[in-house]
Amino acid sequence: MSGDIQIAAKLRAYFDIAVAAADPMRCVPAALPPRPKGRVVIVGAGKASARMAEAVESAWGPCEGLVITRYGYGRPCAGIEIVEAAHPVPDAAGAAATARMLELLQGLGEGDLVVALISGGASALLVSPAGDITLEEKQAVNAALLASGAPITQMNTVRKHLSRVKGGQLAAAAYPAKMASLVISDVAGDDPAFIASGPTVGDASTPDDARAILTRWGIEIPASVDAVLNGPRAVLSPGDDRLSTCSTEVIAAPSQSLEAAAEAARAQGFEVEILGDAIEGEAREVAAEQAELALARQAGRKPSDPPLLLLSGGECTVTRRGDGIGGPNAEYALALAVALKGAPGIHAIAGDTDGVDGAAEVAGALVSPETLEKARAAGISPEDALAVNDAHGFFAAIGDQVVTGPTLTNVNDFRAVLIEPV
């Protein structure tokens, strides 16, 4: 058991290293242009945006501006106003702050600079429904998409076409001022058009594309949404003149965090295999595939071989089937434990780098050869918990949750499977 505790501590350390690699205090100051003499306005949204604003002021001193972050993710800033709002389903606080942000950008000129601080979570935090869509209708569509199992890129395509601020429209609001958009990626492939629904980036998708996604995932829409999708396209094309004064740079990404964890593991004598930083799909299906891979890798190793660490990132999804408390990382961990069936020598961690996995203020969970035995001792069935999407409830009962609190960054899922020779 002491060995299991030590391995769990190592895995948690790798997770913490991955999170630290994406700390805005590390990556924002180096990406800032020289502070101009003219007017500078800081705007932004996302789970990392308040920390990003803090990093800007650490380099430039007090600044004018407003950013919107998740409740509990605020940071002290001298000049930039920090507003907290709801995530993953938007609320009135986010809508009011977004309206004020758009007003702040009005009337800027060619000599002014806007720095946009964008990170995952902004799709919910930046909320300005298009047409006659009400906030309540926007909330309902958003919640249905989250429960559907749709990939984040498809969800964000829909969000763009139902918004006055996404799909390049935030940049358009600041035109003709220069805009430097600094982005922390939480999507597979790191495409700025899909990170936070691309508020400063053009997109070639159409309202018909958004409608097809809603149909594909069985999302019922009210008349107001139907009217917007039948109306003129508001999302900016990539070549739109209003984007010509905006530069966009991804300053932190999942690949960098995985490599930081890999470097630490190699320094401790482990072999490391990075399976990819853009893995998507149903969490339980990804877990089954990786369990099979882990068992195969273990079977092919000699007792004298060093431990092997499999790392992966991306964003898994969960199709909600029951009424449990779960999230993609915890569901991955639970499905992995079920698939491994207590195989000796295989441990794992899965966590969301923002500290929040799905419906719980929990980052994720740890898996060991003892996981199923602990569950039996606690009188709970892992299969039953998986059937009702109650992975967080399962890991809470056996004491193997990963709880970090707000990490103030977000580069998506982190998964590490440690394989010891047997």
Side-chain angles (χ1 to χ4, degrees), residues 90-134:
D91 68 357
T98 302
R100 289 174 50 217
M101 184 183 297
L102 292 172
E103 290 174 3
L104 184 62
L105 296 176
Q106 295 301 309
L108 296 178
E110 294 179 3
D112 300 323
L113 173 66
V114 178
V115 179
L117 307 173
I118 306 299
S119 69
S123 291
L125 297 165
L126 274 177
V127 53
S128 182
D132 293 326
I133 301 172
T134 66

Side-chain angles (χ1 to χ4, degrees), residues 28-223:
V28 168
L32 287 171
R35 182 168 184 171
K37 294 181 180 179
R39 186 181 179 192
V40 177
V41 177
I42 312 298
V43 296
K47 297 175 191 174
S49 63
R51 181 69 160 174
M52 295 172 82
E54 183 182 19
V56 170
E57 291 198 338
S58 75
W60 280 359
C63 296
E64 173 188 8
L66 184 155
V67 303
I68 311 169
T69 195
R70 189 179 190 271
Y71 288 119
Y73 281 56
R75 295 298 295 168
C77 286
I80 303 168
E81 181 184 358
I82 308 297
V83 176
E84 297 184 3
H87 176 277
V89 177
D91 68 357
T98 302
R100 289 174 50 217
M101 184 183 297
L102 292 172
E103 290 174 3
L104 184 62
L105 296 176
Q106 295 301 309
L108 296 178
E110 294 179 3
D112 300 323
L113 173 66
V114 178
V115 179
L117 307 173
I118 306 299
S119 69
S123 291
L125 297 165
L126 274 177
V127 53
S128 182
D132 293 326
I133 301 172
T134 66
L135 176 60
E136 291 74 19
E137 289 169 336
K138 188 72 174 285
Q139 289 171 326
V141 171
N142 205 63
L145 281 166
L146 289 166
S148 71
I152 188 65
T153 52
Q154 293 187 24
M155 285 195 285
N156 285 357
T157 295
V158 173
R159 287 162 160 167
K160 291 178 190 185
H161 290 280
L162 303 184
S163 173
R164 290 189 175 97
V165 72
K166 301 179 177 75
Q169 295 178 84
L170 183 68
Y175 183 81
K178 291 185 175 66
M179 175 178 280
S181 181
L182 305 183
V183 180
I184 293 180
S185 173
D186 72 328
V187 302
D190 306 326
D191 185 346
F194 291 105
I195 302 165
S197 300
T200 65
V201 181
D203 186 271
S205 67
T206 67
D208 285 343
D209 294 329
R211 184 185 296 279
I213 291 167
L214 291 165
T215 301
R216 159 70 178 83
W217 295 98
I219 309 298
E220 295 185 6
I221 59 173

